[in-house]
Every structure is written in C-alpha cells, then in structure tokens.
Amino acid sequence: MANPNDEVILMSHGGGGRRTHQLLRDHILPPLDNPILRQMDDSACVDIGGAELAITTDSYVIRPLFFPGGDIGRIAVCGTVNDLAMQGAKPLYLTLGLILEEGLLLSDLDRIMQSIATAAREAGVQVIAGDTKVVERGAGSGVFINTSGIGQQRPGINTHIANARPGDVVLITGTIGDHGMAVLSMREGLQFQTTLVSDVAPLNDLVSVLLKAVPSVHVLRDPTRGGVAAALHDVATAAKVCVKLDETALPVRAEVRGVCGLLGLDPLTVANEGKALVICAAADEARALAALRAHPLGGDACRIGEVCADPASRVLLRTRIGGERLVELPLGDDLPRIC
Amino acid sequence: MANPNDEVILMSHGGGGRRTHQLLRDHILPPLDNPILRQMDDSACVDIGGAELAITTDSYVIRPLFFPGGDIGRIAVCGTVNDLAMQGAKPLYLTLGLILEEGLLLSDLDRIMQSIATAAREAGVQVIAGDTKVVERGAGSGVFINTSGIGQQRPGINTHIANARPGDVVLITGTIGDHGMAVLSMREGLQFQTTLVSDVAPLNDLVSVLLKAVPSVHVLRDPTRGGVAAALHDVATAAKVCVKLDETALPVRAEVRGVCGLLGLDPLTVANEGKALVICAAADEARALAALRAHPLGGDACRIGEVCADPASRVLLRTRIGGERLVELPLGDDLPRIC
C-alpha cells in the first residue's frame, strides 16, 4: 500500500485538468477556505471602501520563452488582463513578479521587458509594483513571471460561470488551439515547419465592445490551460447544466487540426490565449456576434453550441458523423507548461 | 571588450544590494516607467473609484523551504502583509501564486499550505485568488510562492521613505539579523548547532498600534533583503538626507553576532522578516517607543540613530570605538535566497 507521505507532485497536477482539480480540492483550497475564494472564478470580486474590484493572479512558466506570435512577457500581461476582462471588469493595474535564473541573458530579459511594456500599452494597463528574485542556475527555468491584476467592476455586469442557463447559446470569439500548437511546434524534437502563430492578445477591448452591445451576457471565460473542454467543464459544473457542442461548428485552423491529429491531441483541450467563450441568451446571439465580428480580434466569432438542462454538469459533443460523445475533462498530461 | 549580448543574470542581481539596484534601474524599470512605479516604495498607492488602495507583490524563493521559526508559506504571507503595513495601509486581501516542482512531497505542500493559512489568520487577511503551476523536476526548486497584497490606506497617514527629515530619530522594533542567520544555519554544510530562530511575523497589528499613538510617523520600512543597510540606503537616497547609526545601540543577539563574525557578515546587511524601521520626529520618540514596547512584537524596540542633513544620501555608522564609517549598500553576494 502506498504511504500517503510518499505522494508527490506530478506534471499532470499543473495541466489544468482532472489532476489539477483534485490538487486544488484536496490540498490547496481547504486550508484557505473563504466565501470569495470558493467562487473559483477567473478573478475574485471584493468591495473595498465602496469600490467594486476584480482581483486575479497568474504565474507563467511557459517553455520556450519565445514562440511564434509572442513570448512569456506578452502572455503574462495578456493572461492576467483577460482574467479580469472575463469578469466583466475594466483592467487597470498589474503587479509584476520576476524569478530569474542565474545565467539568463540580459538581452533576453530586455526583450521580455519590452514585450511586457508593449502588451501593457495595448491593453491600457500600468505595471505599478514589482519584485525581482534570482535563483541559481538549475534551480529555475530562465524566467518565471507572476502577474497579479486589479480591475474595476462594471456596475450591473455579472459574467460568472454559474450564470449559464438552459436555452443559452455558446459562442467563441475565434479559432481554437492556436496558442498551444504554436508553442508546441517550438519544443525540442518537434520542429514542425509550420506557420502556426499564437493568438495571445489582450481581450479587454473586445469584451468592452461586446458588453456595450449585450450587457446581459451570462458568462465570459477564456479557454486557457485545459482549453475549451476544461473551461466548459467549469461552466457545466458551476451552473449544473449540460453544454452541447457541435463538432462541425468548432473553428479550428487546418494546420492546428493537422498537428493535433498527428500528435493525438484534441483541439478542445489545447490552450488559447486570445479567445473568449461567450454564453448568452439565444435572443442576444445575433447582436453579440455582430459586435464581436466588427472587432479586429473577433472576426471569426461563431456559435459552437448551446446549453441544455440534462445531463447536468456534463459537456457533450455532437460529432461530425451525427453521434454524441462525452467531452471529458482532460487528465492534464497532454501539454505541460504551455502557459 | 565584453559583448553586451553576453551579459547574464548573476546571483548578486537578486541580493537586494547594488547589483539589484542596477538591474532595476537599467533593465526592469525603464520599459515600464510610470509615475506610480517611479515611487519605488514597498507598496504602490492608487485610487480606484474613490478607494485609496495600497498594492504590492513579492516572490519567495527561500531555501530551505522549512527553517527554525517558519517556512516559505509563513514568510510569503508575512512579507507581503508587512509591505502593506509599512505603507501605513490596513492589509485586507492576498493572492497566492504557487510554482511547484515535480516530485515535491504532497505532505510538504500540506505543511506549507497550513502555514499560509495560519499566518493569514494571524494577520487578519484572506487569500482570495490563486494560481498553481507545475514545472519539471530540475526546472524549479521545490516551491516558489508569489503573494500579492491589497490594503486600504489609512487617511492622513504617509510613511513614504522620502519623508525622513534632519532632526528625526531612527527606531527599530527589535533585534536585527535573526531571520537571515536562522535560515543560513540550516543550509547544507553550515549546520551550526544554534538556537537561532527566524523573526518572521506579520507586523500590521504592531504598526496599527504605533500609528494610533503617533499618526505623524514619517517613515516605516521593513529591513528585509539587504537588511537595515539597504533599507536605510533607500531612505537616505529618497529623502536626500544622511542617516547616522550608533553601533552600540544596534540590538543584535549574541548568537547572531557570533555567527556573523564567523562568516564575515555584517548584521546590518542581513535580512529580517519581523522588524520595522520607524523614523519620526525626535519629539515623538518616547511615545513611539512606549507604543512599540507595549506590543508582543516590539518588546526590544529602541533608538538606533538619527537623521542629519549632511552628507546627503549616505548612511554612516558611529563605531564602538568612536570613529565613523560609511555603511555601503551591500553588493548583493552575501546571502542569496534568504527570503
């Protein structure tokens, strides 16, 4: 019998799938338990001195540091900005925690810092506090970045994942799987000659335009670690509904589909860094899609499924050939350190 | 001639001394430049929707993870709480970013999580958002923790380091060097048989009591990385004053002094995690010391020096034998990964 003291952290604990959920449920959340944390949303909402704030944190351990379409600096800004935007909040300020490995080229650090500054300008946020630590060669991995973000809640907007209701439609703002496959294509031993480019981008302006057109959006969620599958699992579980996806409606670039097929990966479980899932009433679908498609980051927005009552807490996929299969929460082994 | 592209990050860039200052000045701060960041205080102050907030971030890469008097979890809570307290703010909420190394014992993670929860309760703050990442064995160092903190500013309180004025007195809330020496005593090859214990503790209640007694305190700063020397250098530079310390007044435990002597370290440059430097008008000294000494964490509070006009931007030490020497900003090589 295994001694519980011998249990150790596995790579799959970080994949955003079932093992991550178990780790959080059994080890991370219980000691910290409080009503705000229990919401388990992309950002926490608090009231300080009458101001409604959204607060979030994310660490970035992506490998390699530079990839087609971005780098760890750009993703550290966009990921945190997007977590605030998904809350319906207006992102305002970021903090920046750098853990640098001894031996990192200063020229690489400079590229990353420029990239952080550029992405922050694009998103209209300021880095207002920071911290820099150095660890010995071999004790780190080039650069790890933590960004925490603070935004101001828009009054009357509530995009919590528990708000999905039967009859709602599920939209996505563009193609899926681009980020994960672009990063993977750069990994050692997998030097595909592709034109795959990460979608990493700040989504706050797109969300702002959407919420102006449809303030009653029910749910916003960015399908990062664990992909669309993990994000919609969170929705189905929190709202106790069934999310039904149409395989033929999923926007996947041919190249992403090809590489996924080659590696036995499901594009639904691959991370995105510049896409949002939007769940709204069916009556709002046309207005929402029109608003999204008019924005440079939403040109490929489309409907990919709908919300039903049963079976509750499940994600189903109507397949190309007319069947229906359960979309399982990925275990978490597929794509380590993709964001 | 060295090719600038070949310059790399060194351990001393993380020590909190001169190399850290240079790294920030030349590589980290310029791309991000904005008026709030330029203050370079322990926390940033912003107004969101009429609420005056203090915001801070810190990453913890301490080695070993467990040490006499605490662990990386306790220090991650206390360090960030203290950064907010030094700003005169009331700490309210923390975010928690964990980077776990594959192979970490779950039982060690559990100890650290319990320690985070205990320290948060002691400090009266809640962890409201978190993120957990996993990196491969050999790409991390057991656990790295980032905590960002949000607090509410007390109206009328301003404890910025630039507020030190000639004629002020410099107080410390207790003995110096305990944390750094306790951690160092646990390092491989340095297994001193000592009773050294880290001072790691949340200082917000002590600060609250002090500010009630003396709301006009000029400066609060916790002497962590780089110790009292680095903290007072920051003060002297920001306020363009001279800080003069009395060597005979410095409270240093005999055991800390002994181990420092053995290793050729200056207690002034060793990190503390449960002490604050307090600078106030000479007329407020007695009231400040009385308030501090009445608190369990301030029993050894005492005056260690004063602020003069000249030579501006310098820290001087009146030595035991009556001379005066310049306290230099440590280069940063002395004590890597002490917090």
Side-chain angles (χ1 to χ4, degrees):
Chain A
M1 209 182 89
N3 177 344
N5 292 328
D6 292 331
E7 287 183 58
V8 298
I9 289 291
L10 309 170
M11 285 309 294
S12 54
H13 281 124
R18 260 187 291 154
R19 283 241 171 76
T20 302
H21 279 235
Q22 286 163 4
L23 179 71
L24 295 177
R25 188 195 60 202
D26 298 340
H27 297 274
I28 309 280
L29 294 173
L32 306 177
D33 189 50
N34 65 61
I36 305 171
L37 192 62
R38 224 174 290 143
Q39 299 270 322
M40 284 296 289
D41 222 331
D42 273 343
S43 316
C45 295
V46 294
D47 180 315
I48 303 184
E52 289 284 333
L53 306 178
I55 292 165
T56 189
T57 192
D58 220 331
S59 299
Y60 299 85
V61 299
I62 193 165
R63 202 173 42 95
L65 299 177
F66 303 93
F67 50 83
D71 59 35
I72 192 171
R74 180 170 177 80
I75 203 172
V77 171
C78 296
T80 293
V81 161
N82 292 348
D83 279 347
L84 295 172
M86 294 306 117
Q87 203 67 26
K90 181 177 156 54
L92 297 173
Y93 299 114
L94 298 184
T95 65
L96 177 69
L98 298 171
I99 299 175
L100 310 178
E101 188 187 11
E102 184 186 20
L104 175 73
L105 287 173
L106 276 172
S107 54
D108 280 351
L109 176 63
D110 288 338
R111 272 177 76 188
I112 292 166
M113 291 307 304
Q114 283 300 341
S115 182
I116 289 171
T118 302
R121 262 194 305 275
E122 257 177 79
V125 298
Q126 284 186 316
V127 176
I128 57 164
D131 174 66
T132 305
K133 292 290 191 314
V134 178
V135 297
E136 294 86 358
R137 204 182 287 265
S141 190
V143 185
F144 296 137
I145 301 182
N146 177 282
T147 45
S148 298
I150 294 163
Q152 189 167 16
Q153 280 294 1
R154 289 185 175 86
I157 300 287
N158 183 339
T159 58
H160 190 278
I161 50 171
N163 295 342
R165 301 172 210 162
D168 283 356
V169 292
V170 180
L171 316 178
I172 187 135
T173 60
T175 54
I176 66 174
D178 301 67
H179 172 72
M181 288 299 105
V183 173
L184 203 63
S185 73
M186 292 293 291
R187 291 265 174 87
E188 230 171 329
L190 288 169
Q191 303 283 348
F192 303 116
Q193 290 307 313
T194 68
T195 54
L196 288 172
V197 174
S198 166
D199 59 352
V200 54
L203 294 172
N204 49 331
D205 190 58
L206 177 69
V207 167
S208 172
V209 165
L210 169 69
L211 290 175
K212 232 167 259 169
V214 187
S216 59
V217 161
H218 292 170
V219 175
L220 290 172
R221 187 85 167 191
D222 54 339
T224 56
R225 210 167 27 156
V228 169
L232 290 179
H233 256 277
D234 287 347
V235 170
T237 307
K240 299 191 178 62
V241 295
C242 170
V243 176
K244 282 196 185 159
L245 297 175
D246 285 308
E247 189 173 21
T248 53
L250 294 176
V252 187
R253 285 181 209 285
E255 204 151 14
V256 169
R257 194 183 297 283
V259 178
C260 277
L262 213 64
L263 298 173
L265 293 170
D266 181 348
L268 281 173
T269 67
V270 176
N272 310 274
E273 290 291 340
K275 299 294 155 45
L277 290 158
V278 179
I279 301 182
C280 63
D284 290 331
E285 176 184 340
R287 250 183 317 143
L289 285 177
L292 293 172
R293 287 177 184 157
H295 191 279
L297 293 176
D300 295 325
C302 63
R303 171 183 168 155
I304 59 172
E306 69 268 340
V307 180
C308 308
D310 295 307
S313 310
R314 297 278 187 228
V315 182
L316 297 178
L317 182 74
R318 267 190 298 269
T319 62
R320 209 170 291 278
I321 55 165
E324 213 167 55
R325 75 163 171 90
L326 204 61
V327 177
E328 301 217 55
L329 185 58
L331 188 63
D333 284 308
D334 291 357
L335 291 173
R337 302 185 61 185
I338 216 78
C339 52
Chain B
M1 209 182 87
N3 178 344
N5 292 328
D6 292 333
E7 287 182 60
V8 298
I9 289 292
L10 309 170
M11 284 308 294
S12 54
H13 281 124
R18 260 187 290 155
R19 282 241 172 77
T20 302
H21 278 235
Q22 286 163 4
L23 179 71
L24 295 177
R25 187 195 59 202
D26 299 339
H27 298 274
I28 309 279
L29 294 173
L32 306 177
D33 188 51
N34 66 60
I36 305 169
L37 192 61
R38 223 174 291 144
Q39 300 270 321
M40 286 296 287
D41 222 332
D42 273 342
S43 317
C45 295
V46 294
D47 180 316
I48 303 184
E52 290 284 333
L53 305 178
I55 292 164
T56 189
T57 192
D58 220 331
S59 299
Y60 299 86
V61 299
I62 192 164
R63 202 173 42 94
L65 299 177
F66 303 94
F67 51 84
D71 59 34
I72 190 170
R74 181 168 177 81
I75 202 172
V77 171
C78 296
T80 293
V81 161
N82 292 348
D83 279 347
L84 294 172
M86 294 306 118
Q87 204 66 25
K90 182 177 156 51
L92 296 173
Y93 299 114
L94 298 184
T95 65
L96 178 69
L98 298 171
I99 299 175
L100 310 178
E101 188 187 10
E102 184 185 21
L104 175 73
L105 287 173
L106 276 171
S107 54
D108 279 351
L109 177 63
D110 289 338
R111 273 178 75 188
I112 292 166
M113 291 307 303
Q114 284 300 342
S115 183
I116 289 172
T118 303
R121 261 195 305 276
E122 258 177 78
V125 298
Q126 285 187 316
V127 176
I128 56 164
D131 174 67
T132 305
K133 292 290 192 314
V134 179
V135 298
E136 294 86 359
R137 205 182 285 265
S141 190
V143 184
F144 296 137
I145 301 182
N146 176 283
T147 44
S148 298
I150 295 163
Q152 190 168 16
Q153 280 293 1
R154 288 185 174 86
I157 300 289
N158 183 339
T159 58
H160 190 279
I161 48 171
N163 294 342
R165 301 172 209 161
D168 284 355
V169 292
V170 180
L171 316 178
I172 187 132
T173 60
T175 55
I176 67 174
D178 301 67
H179 173 71
M181 287 299 105
V183 173
L184 203 64
S185 73
M186 294 292 290
R187 291 265 173 89
E188 230 170 330
L190 288 169
Q191 303 283 345
F192 303 116
Q193 290 308 312
T194 69
T195 55
L196 288 172
V197 174
S198 167
D199 59 352
V200 55
L203 294 172
N204 49 330
D205 190 58
L206 178 69
V207 167
S208 172
V209 164
L210 170 69
L211 289 175
K212 230 167 261 169
V214 187
S216 59
V217 160
H218 293 169
V219 175
L220 290 172
R221 188 84 167 192
D222 54 339
T224 57
R225 208 166 29 155
V228 169
L232 290 179
H233 256 278
D234 288 348
V235 171
T237 307
K240 299 191 177 61
V241 295
C242 170
V243 176
K244 281 196 185 159
L245 297 176
D246 284 309
E247 190 172 22
T248 54
L250 293 175
V252 186
R253 284 183 209 283
E255 204 151 13
V256 169
R257 193 184 299 281
V259 177
C260 276
L262 214 63
L263 297 173
L265 293 171
D266 182 348
L268 282 173
T269 67
V270 176
N272 311 274
E273 291 292 340
K275 299 293 155 47
L277 290 158
V278 178
I279 301 181
C280 64
D284 290 329
E285 175 184 342
R287 251 182 317 142
L289 285 177
L292 293 171
R293 287 176 185 158
H295 192 280
L297 293 176
D300 295 325
C302 62
R303 171 184 170 154
I304 59 171
E306 68 267 342
V307 180
C308 308
D310 297 304
S313 309
R314 298 276 186 228
V315 181
L316 297 178
L317 182 74
R318 267 189 298 268
T319 62
R320 210 170 289 277
I321 53 164
E324 213 168 55
R325 76 164 170 88
L326 204 60
V327 177
E328 300 218 55
L329 185 59
L331 187 63
D333 284 307
D334 291 355
L335 290 173
R337 301 184 62 185
I338 216 79
C339 51

